Amino acid sequence: MDWNNIIYPALSIGGLGIIFALGLGIAAKKFAVDVDPRIPQVRDILPGANCGGCGYAGCDAFAKAVVEGEALPSGCPVGGSSCAENIAALLGIESSGEGKQIAYVKCQGTCDKAREKYAYDGVMDCKNANFLQGHGSKACEYGCLGLGSCVRACMFDAIHIVDGIAVVDEEKCTSCGMCIGACPKSLIELVPYDSKVRVECHSTNKGKEVKLSCDVGCIGCRLCTKVCEFDAIHVDNNLATIDYEKCTACMKCVEKCPTNAITVKEKE
Ligand code: SF4
Ligand code: SF4
């Protein structure tokens, strides 16, 4: 056996290996990106749901944004206030826990209050039903279809179909917004957690039409706007909306609304 046939190739492969290793080592040093050690620490505090409710691509992106000062520690809807406080303590900044929001469904057309055009017997999916003629079986084309697409989108068991419409469990809702994208009627909106007064209707139909389809719809009569002393409720396109920056929850609009389209949410 000629040992040269083994030794020379082994030496040349070994030499090449050493040259490549040195090259990689130098490149790693030269092109190394410094990662702020606080980013993985913030990431460890986050719940890891990767739901995107913070507005970033996931928990890693949110952790980076908080450390770099682009997002507030309170921006994670799943982690809540304790998570915000822990991140703030780690970074030595204010948690600014204000601004917690909650999802609410702008419809209270339950089975006894909202009329149906026909009996729906199709796939239990709101987007499918909304494609049908008349945009679903409800006489009000703006109303909740009650087929639960939002329920299936919610990772937190925070929204359920009750008496034919979607209802949010405010204690479980993390304001991640997944239900908002799932609703083909654009019925779900985020409002301040502490807000008490809600217009639970999304119809921009004229009053007469609203009355024909539902007992509790906004008819755009403007009685609420006239009684509000704080300029906190306005009617645009036949529909009342509340300005939560101005609303003092005095309840005058709630009392005045002839169709009970404005409701009060008392926290338990
Ligand atoms: S109800 Fe909607 S916003 Fe609230 S946790 Fe469920 S999907 Fe998220
Ligand atoms: S709120 Fe929207 S998604 Fe949820 S059941 Fe009603 S129509 Fe369907």
Side-chain angles (χ1 to χ4, degrees), residues 10 15 22 40 89 94 97 109 117 120 144 156 159 164 171 176 183 187 234 239 246 248 251 262:
L22 281 171
E94 289 287 315
K117 287 184 292 227
Y120 179 76
C144 175
F156 304 97
I159 187 162
E171 294 315 309
C176 72
C183 178
L187 274 177
H234 301 104
L239 180 64
K246 293 179 176 175
T248 63
M251 305 297 159
I262 313 174

Side-chain angles (χ1 to χ4, degrees), residues 105-107 125-127 142-152 159-161 164-167 179-180 182-188:
V105 182
K106 296 180 277 184
C107 178
D125 180 87
C126 303
K127 282 187 177 155
Y142 296 92
C144 175
L145 296 166
L147 300 174
S149 293
C150 52
V151 176
R152 290 181 285 280
I159 187 162
H160 304 105
I161 302 300
I165 58 164
V167 177
C179 56
I180 294 173
C183 178
K185 300 283 190 185
S186 304
L187 274 177
I188 311 174

Side-chain angles (χ1 to χ4, degrees), residues 118-216:
Y118 55 86
Y120 179 76
D121 192 21
V123 185
M124 292 296 280
D125 180 87
C126 303
K127 282 187 177 155
N128 268 10
N130 196 44
F131 275 128
L132 299 178
Q133 197 179 8
H135 303 292
S137 60
K138 279 256 166 84
C140 171
E141 72 265 34
Y142 296 92
C144 175
L145 296 166
L147 300 174
S149 293
C150 52
V151 176
R152 290 181 285 280
C154 179
M155 293 186 288
F156 304 97
D157 187 35
I159 187 162
H160 304 105
I161 302 300
V162 181
D163 202 6
I165 58 164
V167 177
V168 174
D169 179 336
E170 300 202 351
E171 294 315 309
K172 287 184 175 175
C173 176
T174 63
S175 70
C176 72
M178 297 302 284
C179 56
I180 294 173
C183 178
K185 300 283 190 185
S186 304
L187 274 177
I188 311 174
E189 188 178 292
L190 294 180
V191 289
Y193 177 79
D194 293 331
S195 63
K196 286 188 177 160
V197 184
R198 315 266 166 86
V199 178
E200 292 198 306
C201 180
H202 190 46
S203 169
T204 53
N205 282 336
K206 293 218 168 94
K208 194 175 164 195
E209 224 174 312
V210 172
K211 279 185 172 172
L212 284 174
S213 58
C214 182
D215 297 334
V216 282

